[in-house]
Structure formats: C-alpha cells, structure tokens
Amino acid sequence: MSTYLLVHGAWHSGQCWERVVPLLAAAGHRVLAPTLTGYGDTAHLAGPEVGLDTHVDDIVGLITEEDLTDVVLVGHSYAGLVISSAANQLPDRIGHLVYLDAMVPEDGETAADVMPFTQAMIDQALASESGWRVPPLAGMEPSSDLFGVTEPADVAWLRSMLSDQPVRCLQQPVRLDNPAANTVPRTHIHCVANVPEGITRRPVPAIQPNGTPAQVWELETGHDCMITMPAELTELLLKLG
C-alpha cells in the first residue's frame, strides 16, 4: 500500500479529486485530498495574510500529524510550488513528487517568476477594492471552457467549488535550500489539449535533480485532468505507487 497525497491548485478545493480518490483507494492505497486554507469549506479563512507559506504549512502539518512516510505527493498547477516547498522541509517522508500540469520553481521564485502571466492577476488584485482577492482566471481571456473542462455538467460542478485566491500565494517565494530534497524522484504529467493562449510551460530538464533521466507523461486533455480524465490520470499515478 502506498500513500497518495493530492494537493489541488489555485481556486480549487480538495473536492476536485473526487473522481480520482476512489480509483486509487480501490487499488488498495491510502489517499488524502485535503483542502488548503482559504478554499472550499475553508473559504471563510481566506484573507490577505494567507499565502504560499500557509499552504506549505497545511501540507507539512498533515504529513507530520498523520505520520506519513514514502508519500507520493501530487501537486496540480499552483500546488507545484506547495509540494516543492513541502519536500524541502520533509524530504525523508516523500517517496515521489508528481508535478501535474504544475508550476516547477527554482529556489527563491514566486508564481509570477514561473508563470509570468500571473503578474497581471497580482496587479489586478492589488488595485481592487479588497486589495488581495484574485478571482478565478482573473486577467485571462474568456473561454468556452473552464480550466480545460468543457462538459456543461462538469463546468457547473467545477464552478461550485471555486473560490478566490489570496494574492500573497502568488507573491511569496519558495524556499528550496535543502540538498536532501534533490534526491526525491520526480514525474511530470502535462495536459496538452486546450492550452490557453499566452500560457507556456518551462521545458523539463533532461536530467532531474537526483541525476536520473526526466520522466514526462502527457494526457490529451485540458488542465483539470482529474475531472476530465480521472481513470487515465489514476492509471499513471498507480505506476508510481
């Protein structure tokens, strides 16, 4: 049995993994899909003080409190920053890092460094009445889909779980100063359909920090593959458990 810890991205909640969790569990694995502070049923906790460090503390705290080891730590989108920082703090408890269509930062980088288009979201939030709220997809062109989700029922379900993102999440830098974290194996899963204009992903280096060749898989779907291709995503994740 492996332990999968699934970390959602910006605006989402742990509910977005609802179609993946039972599939992993049916294969005999333990699965946790927490909601980070300020989203979903914790949206009332959102505020200008909530940032990347808050979310890293959420994950580090969960791993520690549950005494998790050899964790397959999956980070979707913005959560690539979260899992990188969590692994920096607890490298001995992480068995594998999975960057699921995610931001992959270097030490000291912010979300805006990794994905420059987020700077427009930061600017808009700082100039808004609240001074900190980043609405879903702020600053991006309207589209017929939502995070790559196109089925009307799925779009409605996804909209029901979205909440604003605190701007501090996009401003705080990651801290990746623990050499031990470089030994953790990594896998990158890219969603290659319905990619919005203006969004580019960094090439994955041929050699990963632990010295092994890069492992990059692709899914022919949009960004929220846990909603649009849960079975196919689960099949890939099970290769790592």
Side-chain angles (χ1 to χ4, degrees):
M1 183 182 73
S2 296
T3 297
Y4 288 84
L5 178 47
L6 312 177
V7 187
H8 65 83
W11 304 300
H12 292 57
S13 75
Q15 187 182 4
C16 71
W17 303 103
E18 196 171 280
R19 296 174 180 175
V20 174
V21 170
L23 299 178
L24 290 172
H29 302 293
R30 184 180 184 186
V31 191
L32 297 92
T35 292
L36 300 173
T37 299
Y39 305 99
D41 58 6
T42 69
H44 62 285
L45 300 177
E49 73 286 352
V50 173
L52 173 61
D53 288 352
T54 310
H55 297 151
V56 175
D57 288 346
D58 288 340
I59 298 305
V60 169
L62 179 60
I63 292 172
T64 302
E65 290 162 13
E66 295 288 331
D67 195 23
L68 306 180
T69 58
D70 200 28
V71 177
V72 180
L73 185 56
V74 182
H76 178 240
S77 196
Y78 154 76
L81 306 180
V82 179
I83 67 168
S84 295
S85 291
N88 187 70
Q89 293 190 36
L90 299 175
D92 58 323
R93 291 179 176 265
I94 310 302
H96 208 106
L97 285 173
V98 182
Y99 291 90
L100 180 57
D101 220 33
M103 299 182 180
V104 185
E106 300 290 341
D107 184 36
E109 289 190 322
T110 67
D113 294 318
V114 183
M115 288 284 185
F117 78 88
T118 60
Q119 186 59 53
M121 300 181 182
I122 294 171
D123 294 342
Q124 182 176 333
L126 295 177
S128 70
E129 183 177 353
S130 72
W132 62 271
R133 290 183 178 275
V134 182
L137 296 175
M140 298 179 67
E141 292 299 318
S143 174
S144 59
D145 61 33
L146 183 65
F147 297 104
V149 177
T150 57
E151 289 294 327
D154 288 345
V155 170
W157 179 56
L158 176 55
R159 286 193 187 280
S160 73
M161 75 179 75
L162 297 180
S163 52
D164 291 348
Q165 167 97 338
V167 71
R168 190 171 175 81
C169 300
L170 307 178
Q171 295 175 303
Q172 282 191 316
V174 297
R175 292 189 293 276
L176 307 179
D177 54 3
N178 186 352
N182 292 331
T183 65
V184 179
R186 299 181 175 194
T187 292
H188 301 259
I189 302 176
H190 293 163
C191 301
V192 296
N194 302 323
V195 179
E197 288 187 21
I199 294 183
T200 57
R201 86 168 44 91
R202 289 175 169 175
V204 176
I207 302 298
Q208 293 296 282
N210 67 350
T212 62
Q215 181 163 260
V216 182
W217 297 329
E218 293 185 348
L219 288 172
E220 287 287 341
T221 190
H223 187 55
D224 276 6
C225 58
M226 72 289 292
I227 295 174
T228 58
M229 278 193 171
E232 294 84 352
L233 172 59
T234 300
E235 182 179 355
L236 294 180
L237 295 177
L238 286 173
K239 295 180 180 181
L240 307 174

